[in-house]
Amino acid sequence: MIQKILICFENCIILTKAIQKIGVTAMDEVDMELEKAFQSKIDAELKIEPKDWMPDAYRKTLVRQMSQHAHSEVVGMLPEGNWLTRAPSLKRKAILMAKIQDEGGHGLYLYSAAETLGVSRDEMYEQLHSGKAKYSSIFNYPTLNWADIGAIGWLVDGAAITNQIALCRCSYGPYARAMVKVCKEESFHQRQGYEIMMNMSNGTKEQKEMAQDAINRWWWPALMMFGPHDKNSDHTSQSMTWKIKRTSNDELRQRFVDATVPQADYLGLTVPDDKLAWNEETQSYDWGEIDWDEFRNVVAGNGLCNRERLQTRRDAHDGGKWVRDAALAYAEKQKKRMADKAA
């Protein structure tokens, strides 16, 4: 009797494992078919929308990239905000204020787009304020004089546009649509920066020296904005397969160099790279190597302004809590009034 029970028990175990195996295999096959259909849709240049099925890895990649992009827009307001009270004229102050306001708006577009993937705004803020989430390393450098505001508009926003134009064709619909408006506004920001640099380059000897000093300090960090070389990038290959990215880091960086060096020549400024030279064969510029140790050090949180930027963001978030609380209380009050009225 006991032997029969043991045999029955063993058979149950074998049957259970077989059912589990069949179930897992069936699920694997379903996932494979879904992924195949997903990739076919991307290859056909159709947008992926929030309610569409997508692989978890695709969703995670988008959340990481979009939240980092949103953080960069918001933290990017800080270096320029440093000069709002010291702008050389009322006109310059008004222009700079409008530009900073635009950057805040870009952050809101991108946070909203990221929320369509199931991550909350509060989660993204917490990740930024805790240091878990990254933002563009360029914003951890100080703005020492007014020419730096010109250099940020010309070089930093110029690099951003080079990268973001391709994102207008991103496979994820909400991200792509947000980037269309962002790029239109960023083009004005780039022109504003270039105009400042042009005025300073054509100004006094001291003003031209300030302009040259600004390009000396911002040129290499601007090139770092495109990320590591393709061979060292953890995400580029898969992101390009999914068409989140359309162009590789190195290709985007080269486009930026080729477009920007003639602009510097027109200003009469010198790009701080003794290896910079035009290559007739490739019809593009050859240039020196980026200091990747500096890049990694800033990304790791050890830049000149990393701690200051994060603390400023934390203070602003904490300081605005009463506004958020008041808005929520008002919304709840309105909701109750509507309910009472309906009753």
Side-chain angles (χ1 to χ4, degrees):
M1 185 70 178
I2 295 176
Q3 187 176 5
K4 287 183 179 180
I5 293 173
L6 289 173
I7 292 171
C8 183
F9 182 69
E10 288 176 1
N11 288 338
C12 286
I13 292 174
I14 292 170
L15 182 60
T16 301
K17 288 182 177 179
I19 292 171
Q20 288 175 340
K21 186 175 181 181
I22 292 169
V24 170
T25 302
M27 287 301 295
D28 287 344
E29 288 178 358
V30 170
D31 286 345
M32 286 176 63
E33 287 300 316
L34 286 170
E35 288 200 25
K36 186 178 179 181
F38 171 82
Q39 190 61 49
S40 296
K41 188 173 182 179
I42 288 175
D43 293 340
E45 298 294 340
L46 298 174
K47 296 298 183 194
I48 304 300
E49 298 298 340
K51 292 185 178 180
D52 293 344
W53 184 91
M54 63 186 75
D56 286 341
Y58 178 83
R59 186 186 303 274
K60 288 177 182 177
T61 297
L62 278 170
V63 169
R64 176 190 57 79
Q65 181 171 327
M66 293 167 70
S67 62
Q68 179 177 314
H69 194 163
H71 298 329
S72 298
E73 296 285 355
V74 173
V75 175
M77 300 164 68
L78 302 179
E80 294 174 306
N82 184 41
W83 278 87
L84 264 180
T85 58
R86 296 181 286 169
S89 69
L90 184 59
K91 175 186 173 182
R92 292 293 181 193
K93 181 181 290 188
I95 292 171
L96 183 58
M97 189 178 296
K99 181 177 187 285
I100 294 170
Q101 188 173 4
D102 281 349
E103 305 294 2
H106 298 172
L108 292 178
Y109 304 153
L110 293 164
Y111 283 131
S112 296
E115 284 179 312
T116 64
L117 291 163
V119 62
S120 73
R121 190 84 54 101
D122 287 340
E123 284 180 80
M124 290 185 278
Y125 286 156
E126 191 280 327
Q127 289 170 357
L128 171 63
H129 299 154
S130 68
K132 181 180 178 181
K134 304 297 182 184
Y135 55 88
S136 182
S137 61
I138 193 76
F139 300 119
N140 291 313
Y141 291 85
T143 45
L144 304 181
N145 61 56
W146 178 251
D148 286 21
I149 302 302
I152 288 175
W154 172 37
L155 298 176
V156 176
D157 291 330
I161 292 169
T162 303
N163 188 39
Q164 292 170 0
I165 285 174
L167 290 175
C168 293
R169 294 165 51 235
C170 169
S171 61
Y172 187 58
Y175 196 13
R177 291 188 287 272
M179 291 316 304
V180 172
K181 182 172 176 60
V182 169
C183 284
K184 287 179 180 178
E185 293 178 351
E186 291 287 3
S187 66
F188 283 100
H189 300 174
Q190 198 265 354
R191 288 174 180 272
Q192 171 256 1
Y194 193 70
E195 186 206 11
I196 290 175
M197 297 300 280
M198 184 178 293
N199 287 339
M200 299 198 74
S201 297
N202 293 322
T204 64
K205 178 176 177 291
E206 289 79 9
Q207 287 173 325
K208 186 164 185 176
E209 287 174 352
M210 287 170 66
Q212 182 61 56
D213 175 60
I215 190 176
N216 289 347
R217 287 182 289 106
W218 289 94
W219 175 257
W220 292 106
L223 295 189
M224 295 176 194
M225 286 179 66
F226 297 97
H229 286 308
D230 298 332
K231 62 183 180 183
N232 299 323
S233 175
D234 296 330
H235 308 289
T236 293
S237 178
Q238 184 61 70
S239 290
M240 291 185 70
T241 299
W242 283 330
K243 297 188 179 180
I244 295 173
K245 281 175 69 80
R246 293 284 184 153
T247 313
S248 72
N249 296 350
D250 288 333
E251 186 177 344
L252 288 169
R253 192 165 15 241
Q254 187 65 55
R255 284 183 189 177
F256 173 73
V257 171
D258 291 343
T260 309
V261 170
Q263 296 172 2
D265 291 341
Y266 185 81
L267 292 174
L269 299 176
T270 303
V271 173
D273 183 355
D274 55 8
K275 294 183 179 179
L276 184 71
W278 177 254
N279 187 320
E280 281 292 339
E281 184 179 344
T282 61
Q283 288 295 293
S284 62
Y285 285 94
D286 294 333
W287 41 280
E289 185 62 22
I290 292 169
D291 184 349
W292 292 112
D293 288 337
E294 177 184 335
F295 172 75
R296 285 186 287 269
N297 190 50
V298 175
V299 170
N302 301 315
L304 293 172
C305 298
N306 287 63
R307 293 171 182 80
E308 177 187 338
R309 299 285 185 249
L310 270 183
Q311 190 57 52
T312 302
R313 278 300 311 144
R314 292 189 198 105
D315 291 345
H317 186 73
D318 293 343
K321 184 178 183 300
W322 70 271
V323 179
R324 297 191 298 276
D325 290 344
L328 288 171
Y330 179 76
E332 189 61 33
K333 187 175 181 180
Q334 290 295 98
K335 183 180 177 181
K336 187 176 182 303
R337 280 182 179 174
M338 293 294 289
D340 292 344
K341 193 173 183 181

